Amino acid sequence: MNILVTGGAGYIGSHTCVQLLDAGYDIAVLDNLDNSCEESLNRVKQITGKDFKFYEVDLLDYEATDKVFAENKFDAVIHFAGLKAVGESCRIPLRYYHNNITGTLNLLDIMNKHNVKKIVFSSSATVYGDPHTVPIKEDFPLSCTNPYGQTKLDIEYILKDLSKSDPEWGVILLRYFNPVGAHESGMIGEDPNGIPNNLIPYISQVAIGKLECLSVFGDDYDTKDGTGVRDYIHVVDLADGHIKALEKIKDNTGVFIYNLGTGVGYSVLDMVKAFSKACGKDVKYKIVDRRPGDIASCYADPAKAKAELGFEATHNLDDMCRDTWNWQSKNPNGYKG
Ligand code: NAD
Ligand code: UFG
């Protein structure tokens, strides 16, 4: 199969490209490098020893995206491209709605035109809002609290409507929990711009000495130690979920929805402890006020993905921290060298 990977230069995209190439898929990557750089793709080529086409194209540029489809015969698209910072989406919502939704509408229209009707979409556990109970199943009520999450929910509905209108479409919505870790080579990993918003990138920059101290956002949640609980999943496991999803839509049409998580929740303090063990030094932290919009606990019921895709995460918390630290210590300034 020949797969177009939108957003393939990014964190999850680059890891998925490695897995796709290793599994024998042909790929092409489309990315505008808004939140990534081409070096990640050079590293993907080094890891796999395989070459592929890269198009530096913005999905908002209809003509350029159309040209990519005219030049290739794709069987399916994995659609990672999008902006993802929750806080930023509250400050500049129109940019988020335009980039994520208009970009996806352009992509779907062009796919239709070229008769490419299989798509795997990067959705998020954020579409469950503040769940009444955990673990979270795919049929729980959906809601969201910020523009970023709203774009994910809107795109889910767009894809469901498209499939209703044309039964030839095969759509998989993958709702990721919290991706962390890096490829075991330490050659690719998460490379946030500026000060990280997310926990593990922040912890690893404290460990490497770029940041002074982790602020733990609240210790008065109704959780085992009062700090927020999340379902952290190794990015290599997450990438594997995309291979399983492609296998599923190869011969199926309709819409399929899966949580990609481990089913285990860890608190912020669990993560600090595990990371300190992995890097061999204490990660300094202080307790501060809650971060507005955060929820107490969020972890997946991964049973549906296991039953229908044969997907199961195999990396544990120590693997996640070890591989993050391996990437961070080999690349203290990310891809910038
Ligand atoms: P990322 O920012 O590293 O990768 C996204 C890529 O998309 C970047 O390379 C960026 O340059 C590209 N892009 C953005 N807008 C584009 C456009 N208009 N045209 C072409 N390329 C564009 O993010 P990631 O962590 O790899 O996330 C991938 C996807 O998974 C995103 O859709 C994100 O919302 C979703 N997701 C991420 C997380 C997470 O915590 N990382 C959790 C749930 C869902
Ligand atoms: N946290 C801190 N200090 C920090 C950063 C985070 O204490 O500096 C805490 C948060 O309060 C939360 C936990 O660490 O309890 C995880 O926070 P992240 O920001 O790493 O992740 P979130 O669960 O808030 O959100 C992430 C992505 C969302 C996505 C969601 C589900 O940022 O886009 O996972 O996939 F929707």
Side-chain angles (χ1 to χ4, degrees), residues 6-14 30-37 55 57-61 65 79-85 95 98-100 103 121-126 148 151-152 174-180 190-191 198 238 242:
T6 76
Y11 171 47
I12 305 169
S14 55
L30 178 156
D31 199 303
N32 65 358
L33 303 182
D34 186 275
N35 194 38
S36 54
C37 59
Y55 294 93
V57 163
D58 193 321
L59 286 176
L60 296 176
D61 183 341
T65 305
H79 180 32
F80 292 107
L83 297 172
K84 64 164 183 178
R95 175 149 194 257
H98 186 48
N99 187 77
N100 293 3
F121 173 62
S122 300
S123 189
S124 165
T126 194
Y148 162 72
T151 68
K152 292 290 168 196
L174 296 179
R175 295 180 179 152
Y176 312 154
F177 282 68
N178 291 55
V180 297
E190 187 167 13
D191 183 19
N198 297 117
L238 200 66
H242 293 75

Side-chain angles (χ1 to χ4, degrees), residues 22-298:
D22 282 349
Y25 287 89
D26 293 316
I27 66 166
V29 168
L30 178 156
D31 199 303
N32 65 358
L33 303 182
D34 186 275
N35 194 38
S36 54
C37 59
E38 202 176 340
E39 178 59 14
S40 67
L41 297 175
N42 295 336
R43 307 246 182 126
V44 168
K45 291 175 187 173
Q46 284 174 46
I47 292 169
T48 59
K50 293 190 178 160
D51 202 7
F52 53 87
K53 287 188 219 163
F54 168 54
Y55 294 93
E56 187 176 338
V57 163
D58 193 321
L59 286 176
L60 296 176
D61 183 341
Y62 189 98
E63 304 305 323
T65 305
D66 190 48
K67 200 159 164 271
V68 173
F69 279 79
E71 282 177 17
N72 296 275
K73 174 78 196 85
F74 297 121
D75 299 296
V77 174
I78 304 184
H79 180 32
F80 292 107
L83 297 172
K84 64 164 183 178
V86 172
E88 189 181 61
S89 81
C90 298
R91 285 195 302 279
I92 43 172
L94 298 186
R95 175 149 194 257
Y96 271 67
Y97 283 114
H98 186 48
N99 187 77
N100 293 3
I101 296 181
T102 313
T104 302
L105 290 174
N106 282 349
L107 174 68
L108 295 174
D109 194 54
I110 292 164
M111 287 175 68
N112 232 339
K113 195 170 140 188
H114 293 271
N115 205 29
V116 182
K117 294 187 176 179
K118 295 190 180 298
I119 186 167
V120 178
F121 173 62
S122 300
S123 189
S124 165
T126 194
V127 300
Y128 296 115
D130 191 353
H132 290 304
T133 163
V134 279
I136 299 171
K137 290 181 193 293
E138 287 82 351
D139 59 1
F140 274 26
L142 304 177
S143 70
C144 40
T145 52
N146 58 72
Y148 162 72
Q150 189 65 49
T151 68
K152 292 290 168 196
L153 202 47
D154 290 346
I155 294 167
E156 286 203 1
Y157 285 123
I158 289 167
L159 287 165
K160 287 175 189 167
D161 285 341
L162 180 61
S163 164
K164 260 186 236 158
S165 75
D166 178 353
E168 285 180 10
W169 276 83
V171 173
I172 298 208
L173 309 177
L174 296 179
R175 295 180 179 152
Y176 312 154
F177 282 68
N178 291 55
V180 297
H183 189 264
E184 61 171 8
S185 63
M187 290 175 67
I188 54 173
E190 187 167 13
D191 183 19
N193 270 330
I195 296 178
N197 300 306
N198 297 117
L199 180 65
I200 284 294
Y202 203 105
I203 290 181
S204 56
Q205 292 199 12
V206 172
I208 200 88
K210 289 174 82 176
L211 294 169
E212 181 67 26
C213 174
L214 170 74
S215 295
V216 175
F217 297 141
D219 67 351
D220 56 351
Y221 286 105
D222 183 15
T223 60
K224 61 173 189 172
D225 61 20
T227 67
V229 166
R230 298 289 184 274
D231 185 337
Y232 297 92
I233 176 167
H234 197 295
V235 67
V236 170
D237 282 328
L238 200 66
D240 181 49
H242 293 75
I243 308 288
K244 301 276 197 302
L246 281 179
E247 286 162 8
K248 174 86 181 175
I249 47 163
K250 188 155 65 77
D251 304 313
N252 285 289
T253 56
V255 179
F256 304 88
I257 305 175
Y258 301 105
N259 287 338
L260 291 185
T262 64
V264 181
Y266 289 108
S267 73
V268 177
L269 296 182
D270 287 335
M271 300 308 283
V272 170
K273 197 169 153 209
F275 205 91
S276 300
K277 187 175 137 203
C279 70
K281 47 185 132 175
D282 282 341
V283 172
K284 212 169 137 195
Y285 70 88
K286 61 174 190 266
I287 309 291
V288 302
D289 286 347
R290 291 181 179 195
R291 181 170 66 179
D294 272 356
I295 58 177
S297 274
C298 173

